[in-house]
Amino acid sequence: MFFEQIIEFKTGLRDYLSQKKYKELGELAHKAKSSVMTFGMNDLGMRLKQLQLKTQKLEEIESYEEHVAEFETLIDRAHRELRAILEEIKA
């Protein structure tokens, strides 16, 4: 389920950002925060919380791109690591 959510989060965050739908961007950041923290990615969760709070007040809009790009980079790394662990367990 988490792997499916990763796609939803990446696509949604990028789409909302490009469409300047900042309310939706913040709501999805909140949802993503909960999921990533479940997997122990607390730093990423806190960054998503920062994005969520910024979108609620429409503060520092220029920083939203950086937040989304950071999420994409870190979630891609986590995805690869989790896949490798699952393959190792199967072996």
Side-chain angles (χ1 to χ4, degrees):
M1 185 167 96
F2 182 67
F3 293 122
E4 292 170 9
Q5 285 183 321
I6 288 173
I7 296 166
E8 173 192 343
F9 296 149
K10 284 177 60 176
T11 303
L13 290 171
R14 183 57 58 194
D15 288 349
Y16 290 143
L17 179 65
S18 68
Q19 297 169 17
K20 298 182 180 179
K21 293 185 175 180
Y22 301 134
K23 179 183 179 206
E24 293 85 349
L25 178 67
E27 290 170 353
L28 190 56
H30 174 73
K31 184 177 177 184
K33 172 190 64 101
S34 300
S35 292
V36 301
M37 291 183 89
T38 299
F39 282 87
M41 294 179 271
N42 296 328
D43 289 342
L44 180 55
M46 294 310 296
R47 295 286 291 156
L48 287 165
K49 178 71 174 181
Q50 290 173 350
L51 175 59
Q52 175 194 356
L53 294 174
K54 287 178 183 181
T55 61
Q56 288 173 347
K57 298 177 183 177
L58 294 177
E59 293 179 336
E60 301 177 36
I61 293 172
E62 70 282 353
S63 73
Y64 298 177
E65 169 66 36
E66 181 182 332
H67 283 281
V68 172
E70 178 183 36
F71 173 81
E72 291 171 333
T73 299
L74 295 176
I75 206 67
D76 285 345
R77 184 181 312 150
H79 184 239
R80 287 190 302 273
E81 289 175 9
L82 287 170
R83 284 279 183 211
I85 290 168
L86 286 174
E87 290 300 319
E88 192 175 300
I89 289 171
K90 289 180 183 178

